[in-house]
Amino acid sequence: MKTKLSLRILVAAMVLALGAGGTALAMSPEHCGAAGGRMEQRMGYHLQEMSRLHADLKLDARQEALWQDAEQFSRSSMRDRGDQMRKQRAEILASVSQPGADLRAVVKQMDELKDAGRQQHAASRERWLAVYDSLDAPQKEKARLFIKGKLEHMPQGGRFGRDAPARN
């Protein structure tokens, strides 16, 4: 009897530790931290790269308005997302710090944030596609070549910098 009870306590402790550890890893400050977090740094880098394309495209007033809308939406969306992630991390940490924490509720909360992020990403993508749709044929070709160059330099796993797997 005592062995069964100890095994149950051990399993419950491991589940709780894995849930809290996975949450802390997924929501760690280096992934969603202050303005210097990786997510914001990557977005800043990508927007800098996009400014090169922006200069090459020589947009008219209508196209420029669409570009500025897409860029502003991307920036504000990234800031909002970082704020949401920091807030959720604090809430989750508080939740799992309580005895008898419901890990299903914690995981559900994490899934809801991920779904909201997907929706924001889709809305941002639609704005950038509206910019693309407004381009003429030579501008679309420049955009295509720009994206092709970015994809060719992207590591196979799709990650940049320290996240990228080592190449052989």
Side-chain angles (χ1 to χ4, degrees), residues 1-9:
M1 174 76 174
K2 191 169 186 146
T3 305
K4 282 187 179 183
L5 182 60
S6 297
L7 183 58
R8 284 184 182 163
I9 291 173

Side-chain angles (χ1 to χ4, degrees), residues 97-109:
S97 296
Q98 301 296 320
D102 182 7
L103 292 181
R104 285 194 183 278
V106 169
V107 170
K108 182 180 180 195
Q109 187 180 7

Side-chain angles (χ1 to χ4, degrees), residues 47 50 67 70-71 74 124-132:
L47 289 175
M50 291 292 285
W67 181 283
E71 186 175 55
S74 294
S124 181
R125 183 180 54 224
E126 287 305 313
R127 281 180 165 78
W128 285 109
L129 287 172
V131 172
Y132 176 77

Side-chain angles (χ1 to χ4, degrees), residues 72-125:
Q72 181 59 36
F73 185 84
S74 294
R75 287 182 192 275
S76 65
S77 180
M78 184 58 61
R79 273 192 306 275
D80 292 348
R81 195 87 175 99
D83 292 345
Q84 289 170 348
M85 289 176 72
R86 283 185 286 279
K87 180 182 173 196
Q88 187 192 36
R89 181 179 185 274
E91 290 172 3
I92 288 172
L93 195 55
S95 292
V96 297
S97 296
Q98 301 296 320
D102 182 7
L103 292 181
R104 285 194 183 278
V106 169
V107 170
K108 182 180 180 195
Q109 187 180 7
M110 290 172 65
D111 288 344
E112 288 169 357
L113 183 66
K114 191 182 287 187
D115 290 342
R118 283 188 192 112
Q119 290 173 354
Q120 278 183 326
H121 178 75
S124 181
R125 183 180 54 224

Side-chain angles (χ1 to χ4, degrees), residues 39-56:
M39 195 164 58
E40 286 89 352
Q41 286 176 349
R42 275 192 218 135
M43 180 58 121
Y45 173 77
H46 292 303
L47 289 175
Q48 279 180 335
E49 291 289 307
M50 291 292 285
S51 70
R52 288 187 314 147
L53 175 62
H54 180 254
D56 288 345

